[in-house]
Amino acid sequence: MGFPLFEVRMSAQHSGQFRGRFEIKVDPKFRLTLPVPFREVLSSRSHCPMIITNSQYQGKRCLDVYPLHEWKKLENRVAKLPQLKVEVQNFQRFYLSGGHPVEADAQGRVLIPPILRSYANIQTDIVLVGFASKFEIWALEVWKGLFENLAQDFNQTLAVISEMGLDDEP
């Protein structure tokens, strides 16, 4: 029998994917220190710049952070879409144009660009939320309200996901 919790932690650290939620503080210069599991994902590639962009969910503002190689995949997918469609142009104007390149320093700190910090109302307390190929940055109070709503609706969400076949064995 193994130690499931230990196995989950180990696989999360070495999977190349961002997993977990981390409440952290932004320093006075508006730098966030990446949690060790996120740094390990980024350090699995030598010199891994990131792209931070504006995002939102249910009208609540946050930031999305991609390793550069994942951002390029997204840009390539968008480039294949019909460029004259208004929705594609809107996505490019809102999401892609908001992308700012950043890099972690030797201590694993990342400076949040002022325009994005203002957009997402990033102050001191934030939450990083792993999403496999990217992670989100939320103002803590905004995240708490959103998470509570997600928790209240979880049974309904679970039922829909089950219908999609998530509970089927591979």
Side-chain angles (χ1 to χ4, degrees):
M1 178 105 187
F3 296 95
L5 186 56
F6 176 74
E7 291 168 8
V8 168
R9 282 189 193 135
M10 293 305 295
S11 65
Q13 289 176 358
H14 300 292
S15 69
Q17 296 187 332
F18 299 104
R19 291 191 178 123
R21 289 189 305 265
F22 301 88
E23 291 185 15
I24 61 174
K25 292 196 178 292
V26 175
D27 73 14
K29 294 182 181 179
F30 291 100
R31 296 175 298 191
L32 64 93
T33 300
L34 293 170
V36 171
F38 284 17
R39 277 190 256 173
E40 289 175 349
V41 170
L42 292 166
S43 70
S44 66
R45 298 177 171 271
S46 59
H47 181 70
C48 189
M50 295 167 279
I51 303 293
I52 299 180
T53 192
N54 40 242
S55 189
Q56 60 180 347
Y57 178 72
Q58 295 183 347
K60 297 183 182 356
R61 296 176 175 195
C62 65
L63 304 175
D64 283 349
V65 183
Y66 292 83
L68 182 59
H69 69 278
E70 292 292 341
W71 181 259
K72 287 180 178 181
K73 288 180 192 177
L74 175 64
E75 287 178 326
N76 289 335
R77 287 194 313 259
V78 172
K80 293 175 184 173
L81 297 174
Q83 296 298 302
L84 295 178
K85 295 276 291 181
V86 171
E87 293 83 2
V88 173
Q89 293 174 9
N90 288 345
F91 182 80
Q92 291 171 321
R93 286 185 182 106
F94 179 77
Y95 198 74
L96 294 184
S97 74
H100 289 261
V102 297
E103 288 190 52
D105 65 14
Q107 289 78 37
R109 297 175 303 194
V110 175
L111 178 65
I112 303 172
I115 194 165
L116 294 177
R117 191 171 63 233
S118 175
Y119 169 81
N121 196 27
I122 300 297
Q123 302 297 319
T124 304
D125 297 314
I126 63 172
V127 177
L128 304 183
V129 180
F131 263 85
S133 63
K134 70 171 185 171
F135 63 92
E136 296 175 333
I137 302 172
W138 289 88
L140 179 61
E141 289 307 313
V142 174
W143 172 256
K144 283 181 177 179
L146 176 67
F147 191 76
E148 184 58 36
N149 290 341
L150 293 170
Q152 288 176 5
D153 296 339
F154 188 69
N155 286 336
Q156 179 182 355
T157 301
L158 187 58
V160 172
I161 295 296
S162 292
E163 290 173 10
M164 292 179 184
L166 182 65
D167 59 352
D168 296 340
E169 290 293 321

